[in-house]
Amino acid sequence: MQAIELQAPGGIDNLRLIERPMPEPGRQEMIIKVKATALNYRDVEIVRGSYHTAFALPLIPLSDGVGEVVAVGAEVTRFKVGDRVCGTFWQRWVGGSLAMAEPSYQRGGPIDGLLSEFVRLDEQAAVFAPPHLSDVEAATLPCAAVTAWHALFTEGQLKPGDTVLSLGTGGVSLFAVQFAAAAGAHVIVTSSSDDKLTRAKALGAHDGINYRSDPDWATAVLTLTGGRGADHIIEVGGPQSFAQSLKASARGAQINVIGYLGGSEGAINPLDIFRRQVRARGIPVGSRESFEAMNRALAVNWLRPVIDRVFPWMEAAEALRHLEHGSPFGKVVLDHTQ
């Protein structure tokens, strides 16, 4: 089979198309023919060598994808040949707290990802793809969507009437907008683009703040909420935006730290956390249990992921460059049928 492999650290130019032996399913394993994969900023960092953890190379990148089961091993009971499934990011985190996850079993690093024609999956590390979604749409779910769901519902216990502040218009942020709006929350989104704010409102956001024209966006959040602040914040900017997220927080708010697109350097005053009794937590995607609950919500509400652009899978390097520099609105996807 063909696969795209990262052969040396330090950049997208080190990706190579290679031939690997066709995988065979072991006990409680299955083989899927990959139909589509999706990119995350984590993949960009792993490929360029700036991720906080170095993985052994060569490595097949990408953690997100969907495919059709084409073979099953002994004792497989959850799936059969012909089923359409998404792999999970954490291969051994079925449910419960993060303590149940094993760091050495993350797709796309340290174990091989899905940027290939066929992939071997443990049957416990997969879920049924929502039937109303196309392959391109379903491929986006394992990281970005599960992260937003896990933050707002599994951990956050979001209630109708809560205020959700979602920073930016990347994959996690837009999934949070859609999920929160469907749950009856007041949704505020930030962006540097008025056009993107308009598009986010079409997805369910009630208010938008352009942080370029209004750099004191925390004050704008307080104004929009009558001085109360946001109950749930999807924080993707890092330390540079965290101070404003604290300022924009309601008392007892939950700040879900997803990423650090604005950099990893900065200072945070712990007194600001104390004064507002804020809970700040990292969201490391989520468990299979969260994934399955989210898929039920997607189906009930007929929600569809936002796709920024689709590339043929052999153009993975170009797609990674687009994610790194193109400021996409939604997810960047690779079509493995092209």
Side-chain angles (χ1 to χ4, degrees), residues 91-296:
Q91 297 290 280
R92 296 192 176 184
W93 187 9
V94 174
S97 73
L98 179 63
M100 303 302 294
E102 296 182 44
S104 57
Y105 285 89
Q106 299 171 70
R107 276 284 169 193
I111 64 174
D112 279 334
L114 284 81
L115 193 53
S116 60
E117 290 185 288
F118 297 90
V119 171
R120 179 170 54 224
L121 292 177
D122 189 296
E123 69 165 337
Q124 301 298 333
V127 302
F128 285 104
H132 72 290
L133 298 184
S134 68
D135 291 334
V136 164
E137 292 169 327
T140 69
L141 301 178
C143 279
V146 174
T147 296
W149 180 271
H150 197 79
L152 293 176
F153 297 98
T154 308
E155 295 284 355
Q157 301 295 304
L158 176 70
K159 303 182 299 299
D162 284 355
T163 294
V164 173
L165 171 62
S166 191
L167 304 187
T169 54
V172 176
S173 299
L174 290 184
F175 275 119
V177 167
Q178 292 176 282
F179 293 154
H186 174 205
V187 183
I188 304 171
V189 65
T190 68
S191 175
S192 62
S193 163
D194 288 338
D195 175 65
K196 288 182 177 180
L197 291 175
T198 299
R199 295 166 70 185
K201 288 178 182 179
L203 295 171
H206 299 88
D207 297 293
I209 302 168
N210 187 318
Y211 61 78
R212 183 159 293 162
S213 59
D214 191 355
D216 185 18
W217 49 265
T219 297
V221 171
L222 294 173
T223 299
L224 289 169
T225 57
R228 183 175 179 276
D231 301 292
H232 306 261
I233 299 176
I234 302 298
E235 169 57 68
V236 299
Q240 298 301 323
S241 63
F242 195 92
Q244 288 222 59
S245 290
L246 278 172
K247 181 179 175 181
S249 297
R251 293 182 66 184
Q254 304 176 51
I255 300 180
N256 300 285
V257 180
I258 310 298
Y260 42 90
L261 294 177
S264 56
E265 300 296 326
I268 297 168
N269 184 352
L271 285 177
D272 290 333
I273 297 176
F274 175 79
R275 291 186 185 106
R276 287 180 169 80
Q277 293 296 291
V278 166
R279 285 169 285 172
R281 57 171 169 258
I283 299 294
V285 190
S287 66
R288 195 189 84 198
E289 182 180 35
S290 284
F291 200 158
E292 291 170 331
M294 179 196 75
N295 281 352
R296 292 192 293 271

Side-chain angles (χ1 to χ4, degrees), residues 80-95:
K80 65 182 185 303
V81 171
D83 286 341
R84 196 172 64 126
V85 303
C86 297
T88 60
F89 173 71
W90 292 94
Q91 297 290 280
R92 296 192 176 184
W93 187 9
V94 174

